Amino acid sequence: MINLNSDIKYIKGVGEKRAELFNKLGIFDVRGLVTFYPRNYQDWSKEMTVEQCSDGENVCIKATLITSVKEHLIRKGITLYKCNFTDGKTVIHVTIFNNKYLAKSLKEYEDYILFGKLEKTFTSANMSSPKIEKAENNNGIHPIYRATEKLNSKAISKVIKTALDSLPTFDETLDSELRQKYNLVSLDYAIRQIHFPNDFESLQKAKKRLVFEELLTLQLGLLKLKSKKKKETALKITKDYTNEFYTLLPFTPTGAQQRAISDCVNDMFGKYPMNRLVQGDVGSGKTAVAGGVIYTAIKNGFQCAMMAPTEILATQHFETLSKILIGTGIKIALLTGSTPLKEKREIKRKLINGEIELAIGTHALIQNDVEFKNLGLVITDEQHRFGVNQRANLAMKGNDVHTLVMSATPIPRTLALMIYGDLDISILDELPPGRQEIRTDVVNSSYHERIYKFIKNAIARGEQAYIVCPLVEEGESELISATQYAENLSKTAFKGYNLGLLHGKMKAKDKEKVMSAFSAGDIKILISTTVIEVGVDVPDATVMVIENAERFGLSQLHQLRGRVGRGSEKSFCILVSDSKSETSKERLNIMKKYSDGFKIADEDLKQRGPGDFFGNRQHGLPDLKIADMLSDMETLKLCRECADEILKQDYNLDLPKNRHLANAISDMFRNSISN
């Protein structure tokens, strides 16, 4: 008998080899399997006849096989199987591609359900590779799972069915009073119905329950994280040095920058540690805001640490702040993975004895042997690129430190408030004077020769260009990778030009070398993946070309576009796409229409939902298995209220009715929260 903790290989029909395929999907045990929820559903409940269907429509037809299955070898590796069905009135010609198992399982004069695209003629109908099930097995609603090449959705569904049939009733995890108040079905009903619903009403009830529990766990966890920061702090700021800082700047800060610095300094005057998010669009001047807060903290006797997700960005912050703070006597150090060992040791020694007042770096800052004498302020840049644990680890280098997180990924305010809970938010909604409006065009690949000529003209004027590709290595798909593209261009359109290549799989020191050469103007054209998406500042770069632009999210395209227009010259963003999809065309045209990152973020959320909007684990929050931050916004609000109520009555979740929730929080946040 299996249980929720049993290894996946012990389920009937799985075994060692198949278990490895499930492992690739992140499924290792039975619990992981039954909480691997369908990503979608197909409605097979509406059985139709050919006569009732429209040409080109995805349909579900009950039909009888009336001929034997004929095998046709097209070429090596490709076999077609052809057979005929009838719905009682019309003959349906069915072609099956490369599926010997299915073809051999079909028996003449038996009834089947055909699901797929129907193409009609005057006398008959055709279906190419429809899904085929025995009519007696049709339960109406078919779950569709995220699959792999060697493990399809149907196979996953079959294993889940076997597991659920072997498991006893699931233990309830929510208090009966709470379930009654929010009209939630039992956990056992929810898990069984989410996979194999009786009807759409049952599916909705199951989903409501599972979404509620997941979002309640998330909100409880976030509230407990925030409440840890509500302890009083001894790190009091007694004097505001903001005006003194402004005299160091070579420009006048915008009103939004001044408000954000003031918000932060006022927080640090309070009795609780600052816990603030500064959100600003591309080029809104977040680094200067960080500088203002750092200056006041250091002048009050505290050390500061600033963590960025990449060496390139950390180096840029180091250079920018070094220029601003030159002549102030403030000692700054850069600590990254590629810092020489001898230099690392020296930096660490000076951090412990307090000689270095500002440490800027990457994940290297959160290593165990990095210690501070008197850390008072930690700043995390591009916070969505770090997990909860990483941000917490930096803050733990001091006692009740002030925390500032910064993001150039605009998130609509209501969503930000729900995600970040009690985090105070400042928004930089003004661009510094002199920032150029970037002209954006959407073209297809037939424009390449014109684009290359345009880039050559820009280079002749002393300017530079980026060309961004979504992939790194040949063979990842049919799309041209950055590596291959750079090689091709160096031999053809840009023969004799100094091209640079930058991608995430390069060693840090190699990335830094390329980026430094581009910043210095030695490299004129930088071919790159999205590693240059965030923060890189090269004022002479005026042309941004993005290949296969339909592959990127709108917010990501906006981030990339923000790499140009940082100097005084007119700048251009050219989105190249051969996609025929109307949805893709609409999305890319939004980039032409809007330059405001918050408007683009709204459109991105409307079109793609937060799962894609945030990207793969790029929001720093625990992964959600079934809830959706956008479509489940109302449930999120309810869960927030519910979480507040639970913690008021039982903050440590010690009561028997809340122990399941305590365990769920621990699992979701992977031990980043302690009760």
Side-chain angles (χ1 to χ4, degrees):
M1 173 73 80
I2 62 168
N3 60 46
L4 291 174
N5 297 317
S6 299
D7 192 297
I8 187 91
K9 68 185 177 187
Y10 295 121
I11 298 174
K12 187 179 176 184
V14 178
E16 295 274 0
K17 284 192 176 179
R18 221 168 182 204
E20 289 176 12
L21 298 176
F22 278 97
N23 293 168
K24 285 180 180 176
L25 288 168
I27 302 168
F28 297 91
D29 55 22
V30 175
R31 188 188 310 278
L33 179 72
V34 298
T35 56
F36 187 75
Y37 302 123
R39 63 176 176 81
N40 210 339
Y41 298 86
Q42 286 177 345
D43 184 5
W44 291 35
S45 62
K46 296 170 186 167
E47 294 174 8
M48 302 168 78
T49 63
V50 171
E51 202 171 54
Q52 293 170 320
C53 301
S54 301
D55 181 41
E57 187 181 2
N58 271 325
V59 296
C60 184
I61 296 173
K62 185 177 180 181
T64 307
L65 180 64
I66 55 173
T67 64
S68 59
V69 180
K70 299 282 192 279
E71 183 178 316
H72 301 266
L73 184 65
I74 302 300
R75 62 175 184 269
K76 191 177 179 183
I78 298 182
T79 307
L80 300 185
Y81 301 90
K82 295 191 174 185
C83 53
N84 295 332
F85 290 79
T86 180
D87 64 354
K89 196 170 183 181
T90 308
V91 174
I92 307 160
H93 304 297
V94 170
T95 305
I96 299 165
F97 287 87
N98 268 9
N99 193 334
K100 186 177 180 179
Y101 175 80
L102 174 61
K104 296 291 182 190
S105 72
L106 299 176
K107 294 183 170 56
E108 276 185 84
Y109 310 117
E110 288 202 1
D111 292 336
Y112 293 91
I113 300 295
L114 311 179
F115 185 91
K117 188 176 180 181
L118 183 77
E119 294 173 343
K120 294 174 75 171
T121 67
F122 287 113
T123 56
S124 64
N126 299 297
M127 292 184 88
S128 180
S129 279
K131 291 181 179 173
I132 304 174
E133 293 268 359
K134 283 187 176 181
E136 64 202 53
N137 293 341
N138 183 21
N139 69 342
I141 300 171
H142 284 230
I144 307 297
Y145 297 91
R146 180 167 58 85
T148 66
E149 192 181 345
K150 294 180 181 176
L151 189 65
N152 62 31
S153 177
K154 187 176 177 182
I156 294 169
S157 176
K158 191 174 178 182
V159 172
I160 290 174
K161 181 81 167 64
T162 301
L164 288 175
D165 288 346
S166 305
L167 289 167
T169 304
F170 288 88
D171 291 338
E172 188 49 66
T173 52
L174 292 181
D175 175 46
S176 58
E177 196 178 312
L178 188 150
R179 284 196 289 122
Q180 192 174 351
K181 180 178 178 180
Y182 293 99
N183 194 24
L184 303 172
V185 297
S186 71
L187 181 64
D188 187 74
Y189 180 90
I191 287 182
R192 294 179 192 278
Q193 289 294 312
I194 202 73
H195 292 291
F196 305 105
N198 296 334
D199 48 45
F200 280 101
E201 186 182 350
S202 302
L203 174 59
Q204 285 310 112
K205 287 178 180 176
K207 191 174 181 189
K208 178 184 174 184
R209 157 64 201 252
L210 295 171
V211 166
F212 188 96
E213 183 163 3
E214 186 167 52
L215 291 179
L216 176 61
T217 305
L218 175 70
Q219 288 296 319
L220 282 167
L222 287 175
L223 285 173
K224 284 182 75 61
L225 265 182
K226 304 301 183 298
S227 66
K228 288 176 99 176
K229 293 166 187 170
K230 283 295 180 188
K231 295 174 185 172
E232 289 195 27
T233 180
L235 306 178
K236 296 288 193 302
I237 298 296
T238 56
K239 187 175 178 184
D240 183 355
Y241 287 87
T242 302
N243 289 332
E244 192 175 303
F245 171 75
Y246 289 153
T247 65
L248 305 174
L249 296 175
F251 56 85
T252 303
T254 64
Q257 285 175 311
Q258 292 179 44
R259 285 191 295 275
I261 293 172
S262 176
D263 288 343
C264 294
V265 172
N266 286 339
D267 287 351
M268 293 194 297
F269 269 103
K271 65 178 181 176
Y272 298 113
M274 171 178 68
N275 191 29
R276 185 168 288 275
L277 167 69
V278 170
Q279 257 195 297
D281 203 351
V282 175
S284 57
K286 292 179 297 300
T287 309
V289 170
V293 184
I294 286 166
Y295 190 75
T296 286
I298 289 173
K299 294 291 276 187
N300 276 270
F302 299 108
Q303 288 173 297
C304 303
M306 185 176 187
M307 184 165 69
T310 65
E311 291 209 11
I312 292 169
L313 193 50
T315 303
Q316 188 171 289
H317 285 320
F318 175 74
E319 289 170 354
T320 302
L321 291 172
S322 294
K323 283 176 191 169
I324 291 173
L325 300 174
I326 195 166
T328 62
I330 291 173
K331 295 178 183 65
I332 311 174
L334 176 66
L335 185 63
T336 69
S338 60
T339 304
L341 192 59
K342 187 178 177 184
E343 196 180 325
K344 271 184 187 171
R345 288 195 192 114
E346 187 64 6
I347 289 170
K348 290 170 186 175
R349 185 185 67 76
K350 288 182 176 180
L351 284 173
I352 292 173
N353 67 25
E355 284 180 65
I356 292 173
E357 293 144 303
L358 171 58
I360 298 172
T362 55
H363 300 77
L365 288 173
I366 57 177
Q367 299 302 313
N368 290 336
D369 61 347
V370 177
E371 295 175 44
F372 294 80
K373 182 181 182 182
N374 189 23
L375 184 63
L377 169 68
V378 298
I379 299 176
T380 312
D381 191 22
E382 289 310 317
Q383 58 78 35
H384 65 287
R385 301 277 288 271
F386 295 99
V388 171
N389 284 338
Q390 291 169 321
R391 298 203 302 272
N393 286 346
L394 183 58
M396 283 163 62
K397 301 284 182 184
N399 294 316
D400 303 323
V401 300
H402 298 289
T403 303
L404 173 62
V405 292
M406 305 197 298
S407 177
T409 303
I411 302 169
R413 190 178 180 88
T414 49
L415 187 58
L417 286 168
M418 295 310 296
I419 293 170
Y420 299 115
D422 289 343
L423 203 65
D424 298 306
I425 300 175
S426 296
I427 294 179
L428 299 179
D429 51 7
E430 297 172 50
L431 289 182
R435 281 297 302 226
Q436 295 289 317
E437 184 77 22
I438 302 162
R439 174 174 164 171
T440 303
D441 290 294
V442 181
V443 299
N444 60 37
S445 56
S446 70
Y447 279 74
H448 271 131
E449 289 309 313
R450 279 192 260 182
I451 292 169
Y452 300 151
K453 188 177 178 183
F454 186 74
I455 289 173
K456 286 176 182 176
N457 289 338
I459 291 169
R461 295 192 299 269
E463 298 164 20
Q464 294 167 274
Y466 294 99
I467 300 177
V468 175
C469 305
L471 296 170
V472 176
E473 290 174 349
E474 192 176 355
E476 286 190 62
S477 86
E478 74 282 359
L479 299 173
I480 299 175
S481 72
T483 309
Q484 186 191 341
Y485 197 15
E487 196 176 317
N488 290 349
L489 289 182
S490 67
K491 293 174 183 174
T492 55
F494 295 109
K495 191 173 182 179
Y497 285 78
N498 198 355
L499 273 65
L501 175 64
L502 196 69
H503 59 72
K505 294 188 179 180
M506 290 167 66
K507 289 180 180 175
K509 63 179 180 182
D510 294 331
K511 284 185 201 171
E512 192 175 337
K513 189 177 176 184
V514 172
M515 205 58 229
S516 297
F518 187 62
S519 297
D522 298 331
I523 291 173
K524 296 299 179 186
I525 303 167
L526 183 62
I527 296 167
S528 172
T529 58
T530 54
V531 73
I532 54 98
E533 173 190 339
V534 171
V536 180
D537 194 356
V538 181
D540 286 338
T542 60
V543 183
M544 168 64 72
V545 178
I546 303 174
E547 297 287 351
N548 310 114
E550 76 283 352
R551 296 260 303 187
F552 300 90
L554 291 181
S555 292
Q556 198 174 28
L557 288 173
H558 181 62
Q559 294 291 315
L560 290 166
R561 177 169 62 183
R563 297 308 102 220
V564 295
R566 303 178 85 85
S568 56
E569 299 302 319
K570 178 72 180 163
S571 291
F572 303 85
C573 178
I574 303 165
L575 306 176
V576 184
S577 174
D578 288 328
S579 175
K580 300 288 187 283
S581 158
E582 288 303 317
T583 305
S584 291
K585 289 175 185 174
E586 280 175 34
R587 288 179 60 247
L588 295 179
N589 281 324
I590 286 168
M591 292 297 297
K592 284 181 71 172
K593 188 176 178 183
Y594 296 117
S595 58
D596 183 322
F598 287 94
K599 285 180 181 171
I600 289 169
D602 276 326
E603 293 295 329
D604 213 5
L605 277 164
K606 282 177 199 168
Q607 294 204 359
R608 301 194 303 153
D612 290 321
F613 173 79
F614 286 120
N616 295 330
R617 300 182 183 179
Q618 285 213 342
H619 43 67
L621 290 172
D623 291 330
L624 298 178
K625 292 189 173 185
I626 193 167
D628 180 300
M629 288 285 192
L630 187 63
S631 60
D632 297 319
M633 179 68 81
E634 289 307 311
T635 307
L636 191 61
K637 288 176 183 172
L638 278 180
C639 290
R640 181 52 182 267
E641 293 165 12
C642 182
D644 276 328
E645 196 59 38
I646 289 170
L647 293 180
K648 273 179 196 169
Q649 296 172 9
D650 180 22
Y651 178 76
N652 289 320
L653 302 177
D654 288 331
L655 295 175
K657 67 178 183 179
N658 292 328
R659 278 183 194 153
H660 279 297
L661 284 172
N663 293 335
I665 292 168
S666 185
D667 290 342
M668 181 181 273
F669 284 80
R670 291 184 175 85
N671 303 318
S672 63
I673 300 167
S674 57
N675 285 339

